[in-house]
Amino acid sequence: PQPELPVVEETYELPAEEQICELCHGALEEWDGQFEESEEITVVERKFNLRKIKRKKYRCQCGGCIKTAPGPLKLIPGGRYSVAFAVEVAIQKYLDHLPLERQVRIMKREGLRTDSQTLWDQIWALSRLVAPIYEQLPEHIYSFEAIHADETRWFLLEKGGRKTWQIWCIASPDAVHYSLLPERSARAGAAALGDYEGTVVCDGYQVYEKLARDGPYQIDLAFCMAHARRKFVDCAPDYPDECKTALDLIGALYEVERQVPNPWSVEGEEREAAFALRAKLRDEKSRPIAGELKAWALKQSGLASSSFIKAVKYLLNHWPGLTRFLDDPKIPIDNNQAER
């Protein structure tokens, strides 16, 4: 099924010279309302037009007033490119990951001569237009009882080499906001989280623990089960038998999660029902599995320097945060909303 595609009907007729009966050689008549039907998906080629804009002028017989009809809105005053063109360039760059130089080559095949600087000018002007929305995203994200946070390296070119900055990400179920900051410190984390108070879902990075302990605002931490799982995945080649139990039990926790539709994909009473079902399943099914996982972890022993024992210690050291989702259906089991 292709419910989002427009349907265009095409009717094909039998050529006149073939409208003859093969048995008696008499003339065939059209059978009203009878067709052999099938479907075909095709493509409509993108096309650039050079639109001539003629703004009518008006004048008064007294000679004291001349007016001109308004033209289309422009991102750049006096600019030659439409808003729709800028949106097209931005979508291809940021959603489809098409570099501007590659877009230039594609446009040339389609008859448009331009350059990457011109395309960048359109994107820059568009970004200025939507900047107020970007600046309001944190306040929207802060309105949720539980949000996601993460950070990752961002290399900036500079004279003589490159410098490592950090992209800090905060996310809600329906929005993401990025801050480009020069460091990975508690100060940067406080800047990214702003005045948020609530639950922050994150990895085990110590900055989050420091902010929860000493920060100016009250936050609780819920740690990411995917991170705990990843540590067992990494050491499984060397400790396959030991890791299998942990991976199976964590997998069982995720199996329970899959039994509940995403509460944020529905609204109103359906959302409340989804949260209620999630709370019920987590309490009845996930809590015993988590108990079994902790009991197993407490029994493990080995060299403290081994990757397996380090994975076990990570699990136990972060246990309260890793299992916080069991007590609140609005807290996700992992931080993948930001990790991805």
Side-chain angles (χ1 to χ4, degrees), residues 47-322:
K47 186 177 181 180
F48 295 103
N49 290 330
L50 183 61
R51 189 165 62 183
K52 289 287 187 181
I53 298 169
K54 301 175 74 173
R55 300 162 56 200
K56 285 190 174 183
K57 302 183 78 70
Y58 301 83
R59 65 180 178 180
C60 179
Q61 293 297 327
C62 74
C65 178
I66 298 177
K67 290 186 177 182
T68 304
L73 293 174
K74 294 282 189 180
L75 281 174
I76 302 173
R80 201 177 182 209
Y81 292 85
S82 69
V83 178
F85 180 88
V87 170
E88 176 78 358
V89 173
I91 287 174
Q92 292 204 26
K93 178 172 172 59
Y94 296 110
L95 292 187
D96 301 333
H97 303 285
L98 273 177
L100 298 183
E101 284 293 346
R102 193 175 301 167
Q103 291 193 49
V104 168
R105 294 198 298 271
I106 294 172
M107 290 174 180
K108 185 176 180 180
R109 292 202 307 268
E110 297 171 336
L112 174 64
R113 266 59 175 174
T114 186
D115 56 47
S116 57
Q117 180 62 56
T118 300
L119 301 191
W120 171 253
D121 291 343
Q122 311 311 307
I123 289 179
W124 177 254
L126 189 63
S127 74
R128 296 303 86 201
L129 187 67
V130 301
I133 301 174
Y134 165 78
E135 292 163 0
Q136 291 177 40
L137 276 174
E139 289 303 317
H140 171 75
I141 294 172
Y142 296 158
S143 68
F144 287 80
E145 296 177 25
I147 67 172
H148 300 263
D150 192 31
E151 77 294 326
T152 191
R153 292 177 298 172
W154 186 271
F155 294 116
L156 294 180
L157 295 178
E158 63 176 13
K159 194 170 184 178
R162 65 182 184 180
K163 180 177 176 64
T164 303
W165 280 42
Q166 296 288 325
I167 280 282
W168 289 79
C169 164
I170 59 171
S172 65
D174 63 350
V176 181
H177 183 270
Y178 299 99
S179 302
L180 179 60
L181 301 171
E183 55 193 9
R184 198 171 174 235
S185 64
R187 179 173 57 183
L193 290 174
D195 58 359
Y196 177 70
E197 292 190 342
T199 299
V200 176
V201 186
C202 57
D203 55 27
Y205 184 39
Q206 293 179 348
V207 157
Y208 298 111
E209 297 182 20
K210 178 176 175 56
L211 291 173
R213 184 178 63 250
D214 306 328
Y217 301 102
Q218 180 61 45
I219 62 172
D220 297 316
L221 299 183
F223 293 122
C224 173
M225 188 62 73
H227 273 80
R229 178 183 181 277
R230 185 185 307 165
K231 295 187 180 298
F232 288 105
V233 170
D234 290 343
C235 66
D238 298 321
Y239 303 90
D241 296 334
E242 294 89 337
C243 292
K244 184 177 185 305
T245 300
L247 293 174
D248 286 348
L249 290 171
I250 294 173
L253 290 174
Y254 275 90
E255 194 60 44
V256 175
E257 294 296 302
R258 281 190 282 270
Q259 295 177 32
V260 184
N262 180 8
W264 300 108
S265 65
V266 293
E267 296 181 355
E269 293 182 358
E270 289 185 74
R271 177 175 296 175
E272 294 303 318
F275 277 130
L277 177 59
R278 177 187 273 181
K280 183 175 184 293
L281 289 174
R282 284 178 173 179
D283 193 53
E284 295 178 355
K285 296 185 177 182
S286 299
R287 198 177 296 277
I289 296 170
E292 186 179 348
L293 178 61
K294 185 178 182 181
W296 168 86
L298 289 170
K299 294 178 182 177
Q300 304 310 304
S301 61
L303 292 174
S305 60
S306 71
S307 57
F308 172 69
I309 292 302
K310 287 181 179 179
V312 172
K313 285 185 175 180
Y314 181 92
L315 181 75
L316 293 174
N317 290 341
H318 295 84
W319 188 257
L322 284 170

